[in-house]
Amino acid sequence: MTAPNFSRADSTPQTSGAELTGGDFKLTDHTGKIVTLKSYSGKYLIVFFGFTHCPGVCPLGLRTIMGSLNLLGNLANEIQPIFISVDPARDTQEVLAKYVKSFGPLLVGLRGSEKELAEVVGRYRAYYQKLSVPKDQPKESYLMDHSPIIYLMSKSGTYMSYFSSNEGAKAISEKIKLTIKAQ
Ligand code: NI
């Protein structure tokens, strides 16, 4: 199994080892609890990076993730969906809590300091970048560019597969089932 390089959305996948993507992290969840990879041991992880002010990619991605879990029946009990904010400045614990709850009770929101965020983004070979705001608009109305990838990680936190939200909930749920079955 190969893990693509996600450092750019349009990058050519590399054939480097799966062990290079993912791994441990230290972040804070939307209830204020400090969490690491171990906090979710025994569960497959679905990981998605984004920000709550995202106008399109994030809401679509999260709806697709939650929709695919809905289609998985009992298998969904073994999967923890995680949203990692790439915009900790605006995504306070309160903002994040309200946001993840709008996608149902299962979704966990994680945030960290700039340093903690850079570390987890690096481990997932993802990317994020604050975009500049047009001069006539308020400074705080900035958007973030970020990886649109949906990651599926094993119960020990290693990379298994990835999906694009464009594939839709049905196709992703089938792929999750097949990937887990094939391991
Ligand atoms: Ni987004």
Side-chain angles (χ1 to χ4, degrees):
M1 189 185 305
T2 57
N5 182 354
F6 302 115
S7 62
R8 276 285 156 216
D10 58 355
S11 65
T12 308
Q14 294 182 341
T15 52
S16 38
E19 71 277 4
L20 292 179
T21 299
D24 202 11
F25 52 78
K26 181 177 154 275
L27 294 164
T28 305
D29 78 6
H30 66 273
T31 70
K33 199 170 71 180
I34 291 173
V35 297
T36 65
L37 181 63
K38 262 197 190 143
S39 310
Y40 306 105
S41 67
K43 296 234 177 187
Y44 298 99
L45 301 183
I46 288 183
V47 178
F48 187 72
F49 292 89
F51 65 113
T52 68
H53 290 69
C54 181
V57 173
C58 291
L60 173 67
L62 291 171
R63 272 199 305 273
T64 304
I65 289 168
M66 301 319 285
S68 70
L69 293 183
N70 258 334
L71 295 168
L72 282 173
N74 284 339
L75 185 55
N77 298 332
E78 296 177 53
I79 303 173
Q80 177 61 59
I82 292 176
F83 176 69
I84 300 179
S85 169
V86 297
D87 185 19
R90 286 183 304 188
D91 290 344
T92 61
Q93 186 191 319
E94 292 72 22
V95 169
L96 197 55
K98 199 172 163 205
Y99 187 71
V100 293
K101 275 177 198 153
S102 72
F103 294 95
L106 296 178
L107 183 63
V108 162
L110 300 183
R111 63 187 299 283
S113 65
E114 286 293 346
K115 185 168 170 277
E116 290 166 338
L117 174 61
E119 222 170 281
V120 67
V121 164
R123 292 220 164 154
Y124 277 80
R125 300 195 290 168
Y127 71 89
Y128 66 104
Q129 188 181 16
K130 188 172 171 175
L131 299 177
S132 54
V133 181
K135 271 194 183 135
D136 55 336
Q137 296 195 17
K139 250 190 185 166
E140 59 279 8
S141 68
Y142 61 87
L143 294 174
M144 304 290 295
D145 187 18
H146 65 88
S147 324
I149 297 296
I150 299 167
Y151 299 82
L152 176 65
M153 310 300 287
S154 75
K155 288 184 174 178
S156 53
T158 57
Y159 170 86
M160 294 182 85
S161 190
Y162 79 98
F163 319 107
S164 153
S165 48
N166 299 334
E167 296 175 60
K170 178 99 172 55
I172 291 176
S173 71
E174 292 300 323
K175 282 190 180 176
I176 291 172
K177 227 185 283 178
L178 288 174
T179 306
I180 287 176
K181 229 185 200 172
Q183 72 177 330

